[in-house]
Amino acid sequence: MLTFLSQRLLQIIPTLILVSMLIFGLQQLLPGDPALIMAGEERDPKVLEEIREQYRLNEPIPVQYFYWMKGVLSGNLGESMRLKSSVSSLVAEKLPVTLQLAAMALIVALGIGIPAGIISAVKKDTAWDYGANIFALWGLSTPNFWLGILMIFLFSVTLGWLPASGYVRPGEDWRASLATTVMPAFVLGNAIAAVLMRHTRSAMLQAMGADYVRTARAKGLYERRVVLKHALRNAMTPVITLGALEFGTLLSGAVLTEQIFTIPGFGKLIVDSVFNRDYAVVQGVVLVTATTYIVLNLLADVAYVLVNPRLRG
Amino acid sequence: MKKTFHRLTLAATFMGLALSGAAAQSNLRVGLAEDPDVLDPTLARTYVGRIVFSSICDKLFDIDEKLAIVPQLALGHETSADGKTVTIKLRPGVKFHDGEAFDAAAAKYSLERHLNMKGSFRRPELASIVSIDVVDPTTVKLNLKEPFSPLLAQLTDRAGMMVSPKAAEAAGDKFGLKPVCAGPYKFVERVQQDRIVVEKFADYWNKDQVFIDKITYLPITDSTVRLANLRSGSLDMIERVLATDIKTVRDNPKLKLVTAVELGYQGLTINLSNGPKADTPLAKDARVRQAFELSIDREALNQVVFNGEFVVGNQWINPTNPYYQQAFPVPKRDVTKAKALLKEAGVTGRMSLDFMVPNNPETRQVAEVLQSMVAETGFDLKIRVTEFATSLKQSESGEYQLYLIGWSGRSDPDGNSYIFHVCGQPQNNSGYCDKEVDAWHNEARIKSDPAERKKIYEKITAKYLPEGSIKYLYHRRVLVALSDRVDGYKQMPDGLIRVVGVKLK
């Protein structure tokens, strides 16, 4: 186990170096001049030159990369050109928001997707199955921004039940926090629920046809026990993997949904920073997300090994 | 029965959530179209940032509805006969948010900070100042290189904002994270892209006119969502309502719409001599540019894209501006004359032009309407929708033949024309250069008598409109929508939201 862990940890280092180079390099391909966009209407050549100097925009790209990496290794992700605040503090401010939204969306997705998948598999070719399939098709084909705006019109403008947008930290007022995040979480969770439902359904159908299920039935077990204990348990493995992957994607920020509901998470930060060519912020956020993703993957691998001893080398 | 019960519980839960989100007393919630940049008057450069500054940072001077310059932190000013010194009398008894006194030394400090700080965007605006003297605790004297009449207008904006020297010294270039000024509200907190909260400043010099305890600025980029928030009562005020949403606001009895014609303009910049792309008859021959302009029906454009809500124009200032030259009205569309001009210029066949258009739904529509209008005369506009930051860069490097771009506007006409018209100026990306026009512009900067300046601008207008590189098209309206709870709000033409005197019912 120790060898396995140390091997995997060693593999992370080149991956992260590659990721950092990619983030840095790809960003340089963006057309536009950060100093120019920063200056906006106040385009004085002398001031522009000062900005370029201050943020080392005049240096060759490898030199810029070197300074950035030097900072990153000493725990300094740089400074936002636009806001003058440190990237680390921005990340620290946004990470809990994105985590909260991702967790809530995942709860929505699991809460809808798995039961719907089970029902449609168990009640195959009945109205329940068709209903669940229609739901999945709807969930997959409805664009987030459209569903988001419709929900705002229904629940905020017409019914007045929920605030149309904005965000409140759970620590400040947990009920208000829930009120501001329930719609975006539903919008995000809905699409994932559809995917989860389809996967659960097919995994369940496979499991339901397996020998051990026939044996369980032959033993005279109640159908409920057969479905939930024998079939579902075996069908869950691929679904959980999928859920974990979707969670990783959610962590990188849900750009459109955050934009519509004005949730100040990673997605909104990245989009604003890309449009403003605020390189340090984009680099910092992508690096943090990539690292989180890699670590999550590692944890998933470790979990597999723990569950399945055959994988230990 | 059970189902009904469930539904009721669900509804009750939602209601509970909604009620808990209701605002506290006397909190004005303002929906902004963007997230402001750094809140340091020296380093800031966004329009939306100026909206926030107008509640936290008072300026030496301000403008009124008629664009007249009125004192704010100053009491008045006097310009010497030779125009080279401006003496400003300051308002006594003013305090900064940290309790420090605002006096001549603080004013000198603030202006010098604008002038000397690294990366200061105010330096070009105050470039005419050579030195600042403290005459007495309530008087400062600005010594200028040469007379510069737009200086006072500069002091009505960020360049005139006064910061607490103590706080600014302590914070350095991080001052913008917690600005300390002398405005009616003091900074409380900011969560990037989420909100900026300011609260009433108890020692404000004009505190009797401040009626709201707290203001929360919420950047909501999507205009539909911004309006939905106002309609649902989550916001009390929103800026930059879309022209196409005006009807929705007017039809809603709970909302009010206040407007003013913008200080800036929207126009078409023609690349005259910037790089190889300028090699077109349009760039080389003023008659072709006139033919192009005569192919445009500005009124129709306004009707089609903006439901006729904006104001058509042909000069760098709008027709309500005191400096507008009535002798040069908006030209009517005349395709026959346009074709004749093209013939005179020896242009035969159709002319294909690379038309760079920043990516936004409104400008795209404007571009399409223009495209169909000028097609009749023989211009084929190839619309190239470009992301904004990229378009800025390409306009600098001359990678365009036509560029649809506007200017947010300044209260002095110089701010809308000098940097675009004069040879080699930073915003003159089209490469227009005419020594005579330059001389007139410089003369207009020296003269301080408005009538005299207007006469000089008349000469510039006569020369620039037929020959120049910018075809001015229209002026947007500053569109601010309010809930009927908001009382006493007045819209100034600069589009900023001034909160002094505003009440919340």
Side-chain angles (χ1 to χ4, degrees), chain A:
Chain A
M1 186 69 198
L2 261 180
T3 342
F4 169 78
L5 249 184
S6 51
Q7 268 178 355
R8 289 307 313 263
L9 278 173
L10 277 178
Q11 278 172 14
I12 285 187
I13 297 168
T15 317
L16 277 180
I17 292 178
L18 200 70
V19 165
S20 73
M21 284 176 149
L22 268 179
I23 304 165
F24 200 90
L26 284 178
Q27 195 164 231
Q28 304 293 333
L29 292 180
L30 280 179
D33 175 354
L36 200 61
I37 187 78
M38 184 183 168
E41 290 196 335
E42 325 291 337
R43 240 179 281 164
D44 186 77
K46 277 186 221 142
V47 182
L48 285 178
E49 203 41 49
E50 273 181 22
I51 296 172
R52 290 194 185 108
E53 223 170 85
Q54 200 178 350
Y55 291 94
R56 296 206 174 87
L57 298 168
N58 282 336
E59 309 262 11
I61 292 169
V63 177
Q64 289 185 38
Y65 176 75
F66 169 76
Y67 279 110
W68 178 58
M69 271 323 273
K70 206 172 129 192
V72 170
L73 291 176
S74 55
N76 173 12
L77 289 174
E79 183 191 85
S80 158
M81 277 172 66
R82 194 172 73 94
L83 305 162
K84 298 273 175 216
S85 57
S86 77
V87 176
S88 321
S89 70
L90 282 174
V91 168
E93 197 176 272
K94 310 292 171 201
L95 189 62
V97 182
T98 296
L99 272 177
Q100 185 192 349
L101 191 62
M104 284 177 65
L106 199 67
I107 292 171
V108 171
L110 293 172
I112 300 176
I114 294 180
I118 299 171
I119 292 168
S120 84
V122 174
K123 312 255 180 193
K124 190 168 172 263
D125 294 334
T126 65
W128 288 95
D129 185 21
Y130 299 139
N133 272 306
I134 290 171
F135 160 77
L137 201 65
W138 175 75
L140 280 176
S141 50
T142 315
N144 277 357
F145 63 89
W146 185 72
L147 181 62
I149 288 188
L150 285 191
M151 287 186 77
I152 289 177
F153 276 105
L154 179 63
F155 292 108
S156 307
V157 180
T158 314
L159 298 172
W161 289 357
L162 293 167
S165 62
Y167 175 74
V168 179
R169 286 181 291 252
E172 247 173 274
D173 180 349
W174 69 268
R175 287 201 301 176
S177 179
L178 207 57
T180 50
T181 43
V182 67
M183 281 199 285
F186 180 80
V187 167
L188 284 172
N190 177 55
I192 301 171
V195 182
L196 285 180
M197 179 262 155
R198 299 290 308 183
H199 275 80
T200 311
R201 183 177 181 273
S202 67
M204 277 298 284
L205 281 177
Q206 216 174 14
M208 293 293 283
D211 290 347
Y212 56 83
V213 167
R214 202 174 32 185
T215 313
R217 281 196 180 125
K219 282 198 295 186
L221 288 180
Y222 288 116
E223 186 62 14
R224 171 186 278 249
R225 199 168 161 79
V226 172
V227 171
L228 294 181
K229 178 105 196 224
H230 292 263
L232 184 62
R233 269 210 166 175
N234 284 289
M236 271 297 95
T237 325
V239 176
I240 286 174
T241 315
L242 185 75
L245 278 177
E246 294 283 358
F247 187 68
T249 314
L250 283 174
L251 282 187
S252 57
V255 175
L256 281 176
T257 312
E258 285 183 12
Q259 199 82 5
I260 295 289
F261 291 99
T262 329
I263 301 287
F266 273 170
K268 215 168 142 36
L269 182 65
I270 284 214
V271 169
D272 278 7
S273 309
V274 168
F275 284 133
N276 286 298
R277 302 289 188 273
D278 203 342
Y279 287 172
V281 180
V282 180
Q283 283 158 204
V285 175
V286 176
L287 190 67
V288 170
T289 339
T291 313
T292 322
Y293 207 94
I294 291 171
V295 170
L296 276 179
N297 252 316
L298 174 76
L299 288 179
D301 285 354
V302 172
Y304 284 144
V305 175
L306 286 179
V307 173
N308 189 349
R310 279 175 296 183
L311 289 172
R312 289 178 204 163

